[in-house]
Amino acid sequence: MGCGYVTVPTFDQATRDLLKKHVPDFQQVDSLVVQEISNFNWLWPLVEAKCFDKSACMTSISNYFTDEIAAICSFTMPIEYFSNRYLHSMDAEEKFTALLSDHGVKLRDDISAGLCAGSNNKEQAIALALICYRLRNNLFHGNKGQFGFAD
């Protein structure tokens, strides 16, 4: 009789099965991208449990980041990437709207504040965590790979 633990290979297969079911062009998705998606889906619940009082939401994410925690590292590269993706690229508005789904103005404002030039480490950390939260939710509940998984 099993103890109910999920192994990494089982989780990887479950992720692939989910993507196959919901992504029309799944066969064209690079295997490394699929592995990265699986790794992200495996790690995010651990971050939720450890950092966000077992369940991430906008409030628990925003409350977690103190100035001291946010000062641990630099967020320059991901901030540049996501700032371009959601604020400055030609299709930024469409991508930002898809990320947010129906979660409204407050989420948009919190993410934008961290992606804007002059934002501090705390604002950046909150923005990046909120982006991860929405990406994960979109993978499981929303618009899976609307702009391509390699993007």
Side-chain angles (χ1 to χ4, degrees):
M1 179 179 258
C3 61
Y5 292 107
V6 175
T7 64
V8 173
T10 302
F11 190 85
D12 287 350
Q13 186 59 51
T15 299
R16 280 191 293 282
D17 291 346
L18 176 75
L19 293 173
K20 282 180 197 174
K21 181 178 178 182
H22 295 286
V23 177
D25 63 346
F26 175 77
Q27 298 306 323
Q28 283 72 45
V29 179
D30 184 273
S31 62
L32 289 175
V33 172
V34 173
Q35 187 60 53
E36 289 170 355
I37 292 168
S38 184
N39 292 346
F40 176 70
N41 286 334
W42 182 256
L43 291 172
W44 182 253
L46 300 175
V47 172
E48 281 186 318
K50 179 71 176 168
C51 302
F52 306 133
D53 196 25
K54 298 184 179 62
S55 178
C57 68
M58 286 178 48
T59 303
S60 64
I61 289 170
S62 296
N63 290 342
Y64 174 76
F65 289 101
T66 63
D67 291 329
E68 293 78 26
I69 290 172
I72 291 173
C73 65
S74 169
F75 303 110
T76 303
M77 288 178 58
I79 289 296
E80 286 176 1
Y81 173 81
F82 287 117
S83 178
N84 183 57
R85 179 177 178 84
Y86 296 125
L87 300 180
H88 305 297
S89 68
M90 289 184 63
D91 57 353
E93 181 57 32
E94 184 180 4
K95 287 181 177 179
F96 206 177
T97 299
L99 173 75
L100 300 173
S101 188
D102 60 353
H103 286 78
V105 174
K106 170 102 172 87
L107 181 60
R108 178 180 289 271
D109 290 347
D110 288 349
I111 291 173
S112 295
L115 297 180
C116 288
S119 59
N120 62 42
N121 265 24
K122 182 176 178 179
E123 292 167 326
Q124 292 174 357
I126 290 169
L128 292 172
L130 289 170
I131 290 168
C132 288
Y133 165 69
R134 290 302 314 144
L135 288 172
R136 188 265 178 213
N137 284 346
N138 286 347
L139 279 170
F140 276 92
H141 309 295
N143 50 6
K144 297 154 188 66
Q146 180 175 346
F147 296 96
F149 287 108
D151 189 26

